[in-house]
Every structure is written in C-alpha cells, then in structure tokens.
Amino acid sequence: MSKLLVSTTVNGDPQQFLCDPDTTLLDALREEMGLTGSKEGCGSGDCGACTVVLDGEMVCSCLVLAPEAEGRQIATIEGVAEGSQLHPVQRKFLEHGALQCGFCTPGFIMASKALLDRNPNPSESEVRYWLAGNLCRCTGYDKIVRAVMDAAAELRQDRRTAA
Amino acid sequence: MPSPAYHAPDTIEQAVALLAGDAGARPLSGGTDLIVQMRSGRTAPSSLVDLKRIAGMKGIRASPDGGFAIGAATPCTALKDDKALSAAWPGVVEAANLIGSVQVRNRATMAGNLCNASPAADSVPALVAAGATCLVAGPSGTREVPVEEIPAAPGRTSLQPGEFVAEIRLPAQKGSDAYLRSIPRTEMDIAVVGAGVSLVVDANGTCTAARVSIGAVAPTVLLVEDAGAALVGSKFDDAALDRMAEAVRAACKPIADKRGTVEYRTAMAGVLAKRVVKIALERAGVSA
C-alpha cells in the first residue's frame, strides 16, 4: 500500500507529511513532524496524554487517523506558549508544582486551556469533571486543579484589565 | 500486517460502493472503538471508509413532525450543544455524554456506539427507550430499522454486507425520558448495568405509553416490553413500579465478572429502572 500525502495546518503553520493509512495522528505528529510534546500513554483514549485540539475540539490524537487530518486545523502543546512567554496555564502549573514526571502535563495543559477558552470561570467540580479523561500517576490531582483555578482567575483579571 | 486502504467518500452512494466492493471494509466515523481494536489486533480491516466527509452525516436536523434526524458521524458533544434536542430528549443526550471523556466524546458517535454492539453501550438503551430508528444505507437502497434490531450479539450487528447506519432518527417527544447507569467510578467507566425509559403521561397522571430498556445485563441491549406494559394504565403507584422492576429482572441474562455478579446486576437493573422512571416523571412535571 502506497503512502498517503496529508496536508494540514499545525499551530497555524501549513504542514505536509506522508503516512500509512492506519498511522495515528499522534504518531504522525511525533515521528513525521518532530512534534514530540504530545505523549503516548495508553494508546486507547483513556489517559489523555496525547490530547490535541482538532478543528477547535480537543481529542485524543491516538484515536485519530493521520489521513483524517487532511485539510484540518491542529493545535498542539508546542503552540501554547507565545515564543518564550508561557501561557498562564503553563505558568500556574509550574508555580503550583502541578507536575512531577511531566509525562501527562502536555495533555493536561491542552485540556485545561480548552476548558478556560470556553469557560473562564469554572467551578472546581467542573474542572475535575473536564479533566476526568487525563490521568496523572505522580502529582495527584489537587495541585493540578488548583493550578487551573488560579490560571482561570488570572485570565479573568487579564480580561478585565484589557476591557 | 498490510496497512488498510483509506477512503473518504463525498456521498452515501460512494460509501456503499466502497463497503459493498470489499468484504473486509469497515465504516469509520468517530473511530474511538475501531482504532483501538485495530491497534490491539482484534480487527484488521482491509479498507476504511471514513463517513465524516459526506454532507449531512454530521449534524442534527429537526424533522417537520417534531422529531430529529442525527447524522451518523455527529459526535456526542454536538448533541449536548443542540438546545432543542437536549430539551426534547434529555435522557438520550445525557446517555451519549456519559461515554468516555470529553476528548472521546468529541469524536465518539451514537451510531458508532450502536454498531460497536457492546451490550454495555451507554447511548443504546436510551435510544431504544426513545423508540429511535436507524436509516440504514446499503447496496439495495435505504431502509429504516428500529435501533434494538441492530445489535445481534456482543460485537456483531444485523447489518448486511455493504450496509451502514447513515442516520439515527428520534420521534417527536410526547412525554419524557431518562437513562442511568451503575459504575464503580464517577466517570470514564463501562456500565455494569444501565436502564433507560421513555414515558407518556396524560393530564390525570396516568401512564399512556412506556418503553423500558436495559443495558449490560444481556448479550445485547434489550427493550423490555413487559416492563413498559406494567406501567401503562397506572399512576406509577408502588405496585406498578414493583411489577415493572420484576419484568426488568426477569429479562436479565447477565454475565458474572469482576465488575459485578449475576445477582448484583439483576437486582441493580430493577433498582435503576425504578430510578429512571422517577426522573422521567419529574421531567414530565409529575410528582412521584
């Protein structure tokens, strides 16, 4: 079977790559595009470590076939910071010690940012339910939830200042 | 293992031709079950027919008769975002949004949940209770099939070669519905037992129609006609609810595994069926 040519947009930049039809988007990101921020934890959609945003909705990139990305917009952890300026979610994860080994962190950041992009004032319970698809075996969840709540507060403050 | 071919047709006719022309072809919609099964080696399709580029396969259309047509490739989260659908069929929408995580629900579809044919599928009992049907497309045209007739056995459907579910149709809501499942965790788990109900209640509080369904307690999701019949004509008194629960328990043929014994699953099916009736009654504005 010949390889497929897929044209897509990753973090705002046009990207083309060749892949077998059953390559996952996660493998294409990591191996064809060199974007190794997204991690493979379970490969079955249970752990959320490979979370990316596909056409505005967060998905497990291990559950997307690379050819499905044809013509689509993909946002990955590599596009969250602006240059050397960390996104508030990233900064608050550092400040609150919300990571240890860091393997799950890219997925948590992507999911947390996706939540705050649509709801800048979530309750703690909403944060916990939203992040139910992301597993952390090191830090536990309290520090992560506190980091997300704090990032939300900062984003609301920024919004008020801007207005 | 050779890689399968990947096709993304633009029309239902092209999809049917691709599926009918290759016995090893599989339709791909959300892929949250299929891709995992391919990776684990449980299935090795010779080609994949991605349905998501076909116009009309994504999205929800209100029908002139007050019902809804849901494109087979519509992800579960899109159901929740549709206010009219959520208001009419809250049990169906909630059931679909118990599946997996937000990441998974942004991909997973009710049609995929149905055609994966797991006895524990969460959206299927709610669809069966709602009296939903499927528009099945195939080599000899389209046919409309009740949802409960699609699963044939765990992992197997009654669909013929070349056929796929193109649309799920919900009738106009004349009453209210609800779905509940029992899981040991709060999220991200497979139903140990599930129960769905759809009720119509008249102005006197008498039940004029009822459909009760159960999941994870038999090889396929079941419509329990005797359970619905036990409610019709009653005002949901304890005796009627007990008869309904007894009919539900009698229909159970569960497996025992580490997640639940036969006795637990059977008893719990009756408990959940009573609870969903009470939720549906509250939604209908009837105090139980």
Side-chain angles (χ1 to χ4, degrees), chain A residues 51-115:
Chain A
T51 300
V52 301
V53 173
L54 177 64
D55 280 351
E57 302 287 351
M58 66 172 187
V59 297
C60 294
S61 57
C62 74
L63 295 185
V64 178
L65 294 178
E68 293 184 70
E70 173 66 36
R72 305 287 192 226
Q73 302 274 337
I74 301 160
T76 71
I77 186 66
E78 283 86 354
V80 173
E82 286 183 33
S84 59
Q85 180 106 29
L86 294 181
H87 186 274
V89 172
Q90 293 174 304
R91 202 154 24 72
K92 292 300 176 188
F93 264 61
L94 287 174
E95 286 174 18
H96 287 264
L99 65 155
Q100 282 184 25
C101 89
F103 201 84
C104 70
T105 305
F108 268 106
I109 302 276
M110 294 306 291
S112 304
K113 181 176 177 295
L115 170 63

Side-chain angles (χ1 to χ4, degrees), chain A residues 22 40 58 63 68 70, chain B residues 3 39 52-53 106-107:
Chain A
D22 59 350
E40 174 154 353
M58 66 172 187
L63 295 185
E68 293 184 70
E70 173 66 36
Chain B
S3 201
R39 286 166 60 90
K52 291 190 290 295
R53 308 256 170 178
N106 279 338
R107 291 269 295 167

Side-chain angles (χ1 to χ4, degrees), chain B:
Chain B
M1 192 168 306
S3 201
Y6 171 84
H7 306 285
D10 298 320
T11 66
I12 286 185
E13 292 72 24
Q14 286 168 16
V16 167
L18 287 161
L19 288 165
D22 178 359
R26 289 284 299 273
L28 168 70
S29 125
T32 53
D33 289 311
L34 180 59
I35 293 172
V36 175
Q37 287 164 13
M38 284 166 54
R39 286 166 60 90
S40 70
R42 257 181 68 196
T43 181
S46 48
S47 62
L48 295 168
V49 181
D50 189 351
L51 306 176
K52 291 190 290 295
R53 308 256 170 178
I54 301 172
M57 291 291 271
K58 268 189 161 177
I60 299 149
R61 291 175 299 280
S63 310
D65 65 356
F68 295 89
I70 301 165
T74 308
C76 295
T77 42
L79 306 176
K80 209 160 93 175
D81 293 341
D82 189 300
K83 296 231 165 12
L85 178 67
S86 299
W89 293 104
V92 170
V93 173
E94 283 173 7
N97 284 281
L98 290 172
I99 297 167
S101 60
V102 183
Q103 285 93 326
V104 169
R105 295 193 289 271
N106 279 338
R107 291 269 295 167
T109 66
M110 290 201 296
N113 198 214
L114 175 61
C115 294
N116 187 52
S118 163
D122 276 311
S123 70
V124 180
L127 288 171
V128 169
T133 58
C134 294
L135 182 72
V136 173
S140 44
T142 57
R143 61 190 179 105
E144 198 169 340
V145 185
V147 162
E148 58 270 26
E149 290 178 16
I150 298 286
R156 256 200 12 246
T157 68
S158 62
L159 295 174
Q160 298 301 304
E163 285 190 332
F164 68 96
V165 171
E167 193 171 283
I168 289 176
R169 293 175 170 175
L170 284 162
Q173 176 62 280
K174 298 192 181 76
S176 60
D177 79 325
Y179 171 78
L180 283 177
R181 67 173 180 189
S182 169
I183 56 171
R185 306 178 64 202
T186 53
E187 283 278 278
M188 295 284 291
D189 207 345
I190 298 166
V192 179
V193 187
V197 72
S198 169
L199 300 172
V200 184
V201 187
D202 72 12
N204 301 320
T206 303
C207 179
T208 57
R211 285 170 69 91
V212 179
S213 59
I214 46 177
V217 286
T220 62
V221 170
L222 297 178
L223 171 67
V224 189
E225 289 181 13
D226 291 349
L231 294 174
V232 174
S234 81
K235 291 194 170 183
F236 305 96
D237 51 281
D238 287 347
L241 287 171
D242 285 341
R243 280 199 305 279
M244 185 274 303
E246 179 51 39
V248 162
R249 288 193 295 270
C252 291
K253 290 182 196 66
I255 55 164
D257 64 7
K258 62 185 175 184
R259 314 182 78 251
T261 60
V262 169
E263 294 76 14
Y264 175 78
R265 287 174 193 254
T266 306
M268 199 61 201
V271 172
L272 286 183
K274 284 191 184 183
R275 286 186 195 161
V276 284
V277 168
K278 288 190 174 152
I279 295 170
L281 282 175
E282 273 166 34
R283 285 179 175 161
V286 180
S287 55

